Amino acid sequence: MARKSPLFTAKSPAISPSFFAIFLMSLLSLTSPAVSGHDYADALHKSILFFEGQRSGELPPDQRVRWRGDSALHDGATAGVDLTGGYYDAGDNVKFGFPMAFTATLLSWSVIDFGRSMGGEVRNAVRAVRWAAEYLLKATATPGVVYVQVGDPYSDHNCWRGPRTWTRSGPFTKSIGPPPGSDVAGETAAALAAASIVFRSRDPAFSHLLLDRAVKVFEFADKHRGAYSASLSHAVCPFYCDVNGYQDELLWGAAWLHKASRRARVQRIHQEHWMHFRPKEEEEEEDDSTVCWSKMDGCPPWWVPTARIGSHYELEISQAHREVLMGKADDLKSFQNNADDFICSILPGISHPQVQYSPGGLIFKAGGSNMQHVTSLSFLLLAYSNYLSHSNHIVPCGDRSASPALLKRLAKRQVDYILGDNPMRMSYMVGYGERYPQRIHHRGSSLPSVRAHPAHIGCKAGSRYYLSPNPNPNVLVGAVVGGPNSSDSFPDSRPFFQESEPTTYINAPLVGLLGYFSAHP
Ligand SMILES: *[C@@H]1O[C@H](CO)[C@@H](O)[C@H](O)[C@H]1NC(C)=O
């Protein structure tokens, strides 16, 4: 297995001729007539289709991504439980509970806020939520246990082999109380609660099941406080290691429970957590949530990652702000300033240590797999813009102010960059537009499908597909990759996993964005 390339940093790039060339190109692209509008409906369709390519377990007859087959059909069997189904997080074959829950929450939020704009695609988006929700129900079916991971990331990442009908030898990583896992359990409670809203009128029985489970999982998380990264670090770190503590996930879970239910018990949970959560300025650490992403070799010790799953904290304060703006929660007003400050900090032209823009105009945060930040921050801008419109507000930012229209334009600019308005003149969504990534870091996409090559491909036998200069044989339509580096440059090469690997949490918020822009181009 080739070693991965050195990680790039997001420190200010050295001024080089190519920097000027790219800068000039981006200026030209601003002054020349706008590239004719994008087909947001097509992109929406594809962004949802992607989730079918990430499915684990037995595929249903209506599966549309036909090059994929059943996989991992015995997950959980050795522990006497059924853990089949769910999504692979990215280009590997592990099921990580943390990102799966986050994905389910953001997909749900996309449907809740923008489903009305999605036309017929809303049915597919709801199906994508259900696929995750059904798995999360299985992972939480045993009281006092949350299965947080299926598969061994070290051995999985060591092989270049695709999702097939193999039987895993395990392990099943579970969080029981104690050892605690408030972070992943809080995240899971959020996902179950958010999904319960999606199904409230579509499938009331399923919705009730989800909400009841959300409350139980939340109470488990709350009662046995502690970080799963501490007790299960050997299994979950450095992959989805939550090193900042679990308070933000508890708050996130409480916020979604609050939104999903007006039951007194849920309301009490919610109140307690708002009261105990310390707003950002009191945090000692600049960045309160860190995630280490190294997929192939484990995290190098010198790498202090600053990526976070989908800019988690900001999503939480946005939820809080929404409640305040909609006049539903006066006691949450303290969050409004935090939310406003955050929105101001991501406006272009305001120098902020956490959020920068590439010369070509892409939001850039340090840490790798940058597109997750682009889509989740853009989702926030759009959701926030809607909340502001409904409550007739603007955000004051010093001598500037951010109107709902401005926030929408910023979000749209990011989406347009992803779809092709960028210095590379390519779409970062596979299968959309004329030029898109051909060699994504994705085992199923890069290896021959079971149909094309029924014989077993051993662990190391896959390496030649990994190293091949050829395009991937199976086009994973709708996959959005980690994206260009901070100089807008994209290598389109499998070993550059930070740039070329797609993930479910890049696409989940994008579904909402594309839903909105497909109806409001
Ligand atoms: C981005 O990639 C290009 C091409 O590989 C390289 O020349 C440039 O130095 C990279 N930029 C950064 C900031 O790493």
Side-chain angles (χ1 to χ4, degrees):
M1 179 71 55
R3 292 191 60 80
K4 66 172 177 290
S5 64
L7 298 166
F8 58 84
T9 73
K11 302 224 174 69
S12 43
I15 304 289
S16 66
S18 66
F19 171 80
F20 282 114
I22 289 171
F23 189 56
L24 193 64
M25 275 160 65
S26 62
L27 277 183
L28 287 174
S29 72
L30 288 175
T31 49
S32 60
V35 182
S36 60
H38 286 286
D39 189 342
Y40 299 107
D42 182 45
L44 170 67
H45 164 77
K46 289 170 176 165
S47 71
I48 302 169
L49 193 58
F50 161 73
F51 287 93
E52 291 195 11
Q54 295 299 110
R55 282 173 169 175
S56 181
E58 187 181 350
L59 302 179
D62 63 1
Q63 165 85 10
R64 295 171 295 165
V65 176
R66 303 301 296 180
W67 55 264
R68 276 294 319 280
D70 298 346
S71 63
L73 295 176
H74 305 283
D75 279 356
T78 55
V81 290
D82 175 9
L83 294 175
T84 59
Y87 292 118
Y88 303 116
D89 66 311
D92 53 15
N93 311 305
V94 182
K95 293 192 299 208
F96 294 100
F98 214 150
M100 204 184 317
F102 181 77
T103 296
T105 311
L106 267 286
L107 262 180
S108 298
W109 196 355
S110 288
V111 172
I112 294 163
D113 277 21
F114 304 109
R116 261 168 279 111
S117 305
M118 290 181 189
E121 281 300 326
V122 73
R123 286 176 54 244
N124 292 320
V126 169
R127 266 190 212 131
V129 173
R130 188 188 279 272
W131 192 266
E134 283 176 347
Y135 174 80
L136 294 174
L137 286 173
K138 292 178 180 178
T140 55
T142 312
V145 175
V146 177
Y147 286 91
V148 300
Q149 189 167 302
V150 183
D152 172 5
Y154 288 102
S155 65
D156 187 89
H157 292 173
N158 193 34
C159 294
W160 196 256
R161 62 173 196 170
R164 292 190 170 206
T165 52
W166 30 254
T167 302
R168 283 184 220 267
S169 54
F172 313 102
T173 306
K174 56 184 171 178
S175 179
I176 46 181
S182 307
D183 35 23
V184 70
E187 189 79 52
T188 304
L192 292 164
S196 82
I197 302 173
V198 170
F199 291 101
R200 194 181 275 156
S201 58
R202 293 180 172 95
D203 184 345
F206 189 55
S207 174
H208 276 126
L209 183 62
L210 291 166
L211 184 58
D212 284 345
R213 188 67 60 77
V215 172
K216 288 198 181 94
V217 172
F218 186 88
E219 286 176 341
F220 165 77
D222 198 24
K223 192 163 156 208
H224 305 287
R225 291 198 185 186
Y228 93 139
S229 298
S231 52
L232 300 170
S233 66
H234 60 285
V236 302
C237 295
F239 307 97
Y240 291 98
C241 195
D242 187 33
V243 299
N244 73 304
Y246 51 81
Q247 268 301 339
D248 56 337
E249 282 83 18
L250 283 181
L251 180 65
W252 182 232
W256 278 103
L257 276 174
H258 169 79
K259 199 164 152 60
S261 170
R262 301 288 158 200
R263 285 187 223 164
R265 183 161 156 224
V266 170
Q267 290 309 298
R268 203 185 55 246
I269 290 173
H270 181 246
Q271 293 297 339
E272 285 170 14
H273 282 83
W274 289 120
M275 296 307 155
H276 288 116
F277 190 76
R278 292 183 309 154
K280 196 172 200 172
E281 58 260 22
E282 295 172 26
E283 295 277 341
E284 281 165 20
E285 293 295 318
E286 258 290 279
D287 206 16
D288 67 349
S289 174
T290 49
V291 179
C292 193
W293 297 102
S294 181
K295 299 290 189 181
M296 301 297 288
D297 299 337
C299 269
W302 43 264
W303 186 23
V304 181
T306 55
R308 38 168 111 181
I309 292 184
S311 303
H312 213 140
Y313 183 90
E314 288 79 2
L315 295 169
E316 283 149 20
I317 52 183
S318 168
Q319 278 284 337
H321 197 178
R322 176 182 194 279
E323 300 285 314
V324 176
L325 289 176
M326 309 291 262
K328 288 184 187 162
D330 284 342
D331 51 323
L332 303 181
K333 273 222 156 59
S334 64
F335 282 87
Q336 190 161 336
N337 290 340
N338 290 70
D340 283 353
D341 287 351
F342 171 71
I343 289 293
C344 296
S345 78
I346 54 179
L347 300 185
I350 292 189
S351 169
H352 190 275
Q354 301 288 330
V355 182
Q356 282 158 10
Y357 283 80
S358 72
L362 186 68
I363 286 177
F364 206 90
K365 287 186 74 157
S369 191
N370 182 55
M371 222 52 115
Q372 65 174 317
H373 303 302
V374 176
T375 57
S376 60
L377 292 178
S378 302
F379 180 91
L380 254 192
L381 287 169
L382 180 64
Y384 212 72
S385 154
N386 278 354
Y387 306 152
L388 289 170
S389 301
H390 285 136
S391 60
N392 228 348
H393 272 70
I394 57 165
V395 179
C397 298
D399 53 2
R400 298 167 67 184
S401 63
S403 66
L406 174 68
L407 300 187
K408 241 163 233 171
R409 273 203 306 282
L410 293 176
K412 186 155 184 270
R413 172 75 189 96
Q414 297 301 307
V415 170
D416 288 347
Y417 185 111
I418 293 172
L419 296 182
D421 298 353
N422 57 57
M424 297 289 285
R425 293 264 174 251
M426 69 184 288
S427 146
Y428 288 103
M429 177 186 284
V430 172
Y432 176 88
E434 278 164 25
R435 287 187 59 216
Y436 51 80
Q438 301 289 325
R439 282 167 287 274
I440 64 173
H441 181 104
H442 190 280
R443 287 164 178 75
S445 167
S446 105
L447 289 156
S449 72
V450 188
R451 283 176 195 81
H453 190 297
H456 176 72
I457 298 173
C459 170
K460 293 299 172 191
S463 298
R464 74 183 177 92
Y465 299 99
Y466 176 71
L467 296 170
S468 159
N470 297 332
N472 288 3
N474 308 307
V475 181
L476 183 58
V477 172
V480 176
V481 294
N485 70 12
S486 61
S487 333
D488 298 293
S489 188
F490 179 71
D492 197 5
S493 164
R494 286 173 212 103
F496 287 74
F497 66 91
Q498 303 228 28
E499 287 90 348
S500 67
E501 187 168 21
T503 71
T504 56
Y505 40 88
I506 293 175
N507 272 50
L510 187 59
V511 167
L513 286 157
L514 292 170
Y516 179 82
F517 290 121
S518 66
H520 310 86

